[in-house]
Amino acid sequence: MSFNFDLLKTDSDSKARKGRITTSHGDIDTPIFMPVGTQATVKAMSSEELEEINSEIILGNTYHLYLRPGHELIKKAGGLHGFMNWNKPILTDSGGFQVFSLSDLREIKEEGVYFQSHLDGSKHFISPEKSIEIQNALGADIVMAFDECPPQPSNYDYVENSLERTIRWAERSKEAMDNDNQTLFGIIQGGIFKDLREKSVKEMTEIGFPGYAIGGLSVGEAKKDMLETLDHTVPLMPDDKPRYLMGVGTPEDLIEGVMRGVDMFDCVMPTRIARHGSIYTSNGRITIRNATYKEDFTAPDHDCDCYVCQNYTRAYIRHLLKRNEILGVRLTTYHNLYFFIDLMQRIKDSIAEDNFLSFRENFYKKYK
Amino acid sequence: MSFNFDLLKTDSDSKARKGRITTSHGDIDTPIFMPVGTQATVKAMSSEELEEINSEIILGNTYHLYLRPGHELIKKAGGLHGFMNWNKPILTDSGGFQVFSLSDLREIKEEGVYFQSHLDGSKHFISPEKSIEIQNALGADIVMAFDECPPQPSNYDYVENSLERTIRWAERSKEAMDNDNQTLFGIIQGGIFKDLREKSVKEMTEIGFPGYAIGGLSVGEAKKDMLETLDHTVPLMPDDKPRYLMGVGTPEDLIEGVMRGVDMFDCVMPTRIARHGSIYTSNGRITIRNATYKEDFTAPDHDCDCYVCQNYTRAYIRHLLKRNEILGVRLTTYHNLYFFIDLMQRIKDSIAEDNFLSFRENFYKKYK
């Protein structure tokens, strides 16, 4: 087992913390944002561009890769690392989230989930054991226990029931592991119910994992509920293990998550809005596709050091997006991921200098 | 006028020749293949990738850029060079070819062409003077005289009539030039009629241009007719001026064109077939999107040194193309353009070593 987590520093005035995860594919300095490479590619980006913007870890989606091109094929290619030519750490999710959000006609049983592919209606079954088998074939450095992520809103009984099964599935996921190069994280569920979150943390830490994710947030609940759930849940989690807030979020969400003690984040947001013609800037999000920018020959983000902002203009990118030229989406995607990774770097620096809260205040002053 | 052409070497056993064009944005070693950047972008490529594969010059399409985003906007951006962040030479066509092939309801008059945009039906007029004005705003190093490219098949009378007007338009194009940083090429037309090609060369060289293009080929005529027209036309053209075969072609076409004394080529073929899932290899063209390559973990082209072939497999690229992932088209496009540019480099080397014909023979032995 080459996995390790060192907690290096905690901010004096908040729960923000700086750490380092060690894997056999390299180190990850936390807090970290992980670009999402759903189908063995971070949409529109090449592996070398991901390295260029200092991505230290990317995420792959088990559900998608299982369906196409299939985990057996990826295994033959030398795992995801070999298949997509990415030699740094990878994390795969358990497939659970997409099974529950994308697939048709799913039936949840104690043994696992029966579902039909959203692509062609073919029938499939994923259990904790099957999820681990698939993730083993994909070969990511960090893999996730198979869980159910209940939609929002869900009532207490449903969430409690689901949570108890997810705990049993976590035990089975752990038992199914037999690859020393992979590290299994458990997932805390419980919706927005405080006692269920408590129960989840207690049971999952009793099973024991090298890292813990917080699932079931950013799935439709109010922002206030998400932050309150974090406020309540994170302090219950072990200090000496990485904490991963799944599927989150906006630049503000990252800052708020870090302030509450979260170490890892992933989200499709920066790549998705890039494809729809929007970019993040130090002054907030803008829709660069809009006519406003037709003759704006300035950089996409006036305060950004990325390759795109140093070399291309809003007017050019708008033209490319309007003409559906691939380079348009390439440039917005590149910048947005750079923006997120650079934001996390600045957050890390501020924690190192013990002034995270003033960094946060200055960021918001400009960003809003 | 910073334009110059030096004829450096002619092959002993064929008309193949090696030369160098000098422009204020850098040198171009001929014979050269020019990637096509229709809408101020070579589809799917970034400017730095074009440099990486040693593109020495790219082409822009006046018709498209005039309609969107408009030449005035590009002029404000510092011309095409500034707009698309490309600092090496650029050539723009006259717009004529697209006016005649893409636009609706066109009416050809002595003064110019009235047409409707293929995008929104808006009405426009392009004359030789207007074409030069637009190309002046775009700021390419090499610009083309406004011409009519008659479709194939066209009868003798139509082609003769068109040719005579194109000669008058060439004179007007030349008179309209008033930018010392731009160099105007004349275009030889005449379809597949030998006497009209002769007449065209004679009249165009009398007007006098620093370079001459051969237009009206690769527009539907038989390959045999194209090669015979080249056999007949190229020897009539001045030795000391670059010769540009417009819109051509396949790897075989490039080799056959060079053998007949052509110095410059452009074609959308390598980028277009890349988007449709096909690549060129040393053994011929293959459709990498096909199921045959599903588990083919070898390089796209086994004899290629490009970044794609050194780092990615057919199986991975097939997966990306099947899932409509942008990176799939990026990788096929990158490789195909590298293949063309590398082919031209090997042709140049063979001319330098005076063994072009044996290079040609060896290429075909493998490629077919």
Side-chain angles (χ1 to χ4, degrees), chain A residues 39-41 43-44 46 48-49 69 73 76-77 83 85 119 294-295 307 311 316 319 323 325 330, chain B residues 39-41 43-44 46 48-49 69 73 76 83 85 119 294-295 297 307 311 316 319 323 325 330:
Chain A
Q39 304 194 108
T41 169
K43 288 190 192 302
S46 68
E48 65 268 30
E49 284 164 347
L73 186 145
K76 286 183 200 164
F83 191 52
N85 189 37
L119 296 173
K294 190 175 178 183
E295 300 206 355
Y307 181 81
N311 291 284
Y316 181 59
H319 161 70
R323 308 316 309 149
E325 288 286 355
R330 287 184 55 182
Chain B
Q39 304 195 109
T41 168
K43 288 190 191 302
S46 68
E48 64 269 29
E49 285 165 346
L73 186 145
K76 286 182 199 164
F83 191 52
N85 188 37
L119 296 173
K294 190 175 179 184
E295 300 206 355
F297 300 113
Y307 181 80
N311 290 285
Y316 181 59
H319 161 69
R323 308 316 310 149
E325 287 286 356
R330 287 184 56 182

Side-chain angles (χ1 to χ4, degrees), chain A residues 123-305:
Chain A
K123 293 182 179 177
H124 300 270
F125 170 69
I126 294 188
S127 61
E129 293 77 15
K130 182 74 187 178
S131 170
I132 296 300
E133 179 199 323
I134 299 168
Q135 293 187 76
N136 198 311
L138 298 177
D141 303 274
I142 301 174
V143 301
M144 303 301 296
F146 191 63
D147 67 330
E148 185 193 355
C149 174
Q152 280 289 354
S154 290
N155 66 44
Y156 187 90
D157 288 351
Y158 185 92
V159 176
E160 182 176 36
N161 217 322
S162 160
L163 171 62
E164 285 170 355
R165 188 172 44 234
T166 283
I167 292 165
R168 293 190 294 275
W169 284 359
E171 280 186 301
R172 286 167 55 191
S173 296
K174 186 175 174 181
E175 274 161 33
M177 288 289 292
D178 73 342
N179 182 339
D180 283 348
N181 290 319
Q182 297 192 300
T183 297
L184 180 68
F185 278 24
I187 304 178
I188 312 295
Q189 290 287 355
I192 57 170
F193 303 108
K194 291 183 180 171
D195 63 324
L196 295 184
R197 288 281 172 183
E198 278 173 41
K199 176 177 177 148
S200 181
V201 172
K202 183 171 172 295
E203 304 261 359
M204 296 301 280
T205 49
E206 268 172 28
I207 300 172
F209 294 92
Y212 297 90
I214 302 159
L217 290 179
S218 199
V219 292
E221 79 283 0
K223 189 76 78 181
K224 180 175 154 291
D225 288 332
M226 178 178 102
L227 296 179
E228 280 183 16
T229 305
L230 284 181
D231 281 332
H232 186 75
T233 308
V234 179
L236 305 170
M237 296 167 72
D239 262 344
D240 60 348
K241 300 282 187 285
R243 302 155 175 170
Y244 162 27
L245 179 53
M246 302 184 82
V248 173
T250 63
E252 297 97 315
D253 291 340
L254 300 187
I255 290 173
E256 295 308 304
V258 166
M259 191 172 78
R260 286 160 175 83
V262 173
D263 306 303
M264 304 165 72
F265 303 85
D266 79 282
C267 193
V268 295
M269 190 90 75
T271 45
R272 180 173 292 161
I273 73 162
R275 294 197 301 284
H276 295 140
S278 289
I279 60 165
Y280 296 99
T281 81
S282 48
N283 297 112
R285 183 174 150 174
I286 65 169
T287 302
I288 199 170
R289 208 177 191 285
N290 283 350
T292 326
Y293 305 108
K294 190 175 178 183
E295 300 206 355
D296 186 339
F297 301 114
T298 65
D301 177 358
H302 301 170
D303 293 322
C304 180
D305 294 324

Side-chain angles (χ1 to χ4, degrees), chain B residues 276-344:
Chain B
H276 295 140
S278 290
I279 60 165
Y280 295 100
T281 81
S282 48
N283 297 113
R285 182 173 151 176
I286 66 170
T287 302
I288 199 169
R289 208 176 191 285
N290 284 349
T292 326
Y293 305 108
K294 190 175 179 184
E295 300 206 355
D296 186 339
F297 300 113
T298 64
D301 178 357
H302 301 170
D303 293 322
C304 179
D305 294 325
C306 85
Y307 181 80
V308 175
C309 290
Q310 296 302 309
N311 290 285
Y312 295 96
T313 64
R314 292 173 171 186
Y316 181 59
I317 294 172
R318 176 182 184 268
H319 161 69
L320 295 174
L321 293 169
K322 293 289 286 181
R323 308 316 310 149
N324 293 317
E325 287 286 356
I326 285 175
L327 183 58
V329 169
R330 287 184 56 182
L331 298 180
T332 53
T333 302
Y334 185 104
H335 165 75
N336 279 354
L337 285 177
Y338 182 94
F339 185 90
F340 270 54
I341 287 167
D342 182 58
L343 172 62
M344 297 313 280

Side-chain angles (χ1 to χ4, degrees), chain B residues 162-203:
Chain B
S162 160
L163 171 63
E164 284 170 355
R165 188 172 47 234
T166 283
I167 291 165
R168 292 190 295 274
W169 283 359
E171 278 186 303
R172 285 168 54 191
S173 295
K174 187 175 173 179
E175 274 163 32
M177 289 288 293
D178 74 343
N179 182 338
D180 283 347
N181 290 319
Q182 297 192 299
T183 297
L184 180 68
F185 278 24
I187 304 178
I188 310 296
Q189 290 286 357
I192 57 169
F193 304 108
K194 291 183 181 171
D195 62 325
L196 295 183
R197 288 282 171 183
E198 279 174 41
K199 176 177 177 146
S200 182
V201 173
K202 183 171 172 294
E203 304 261 359

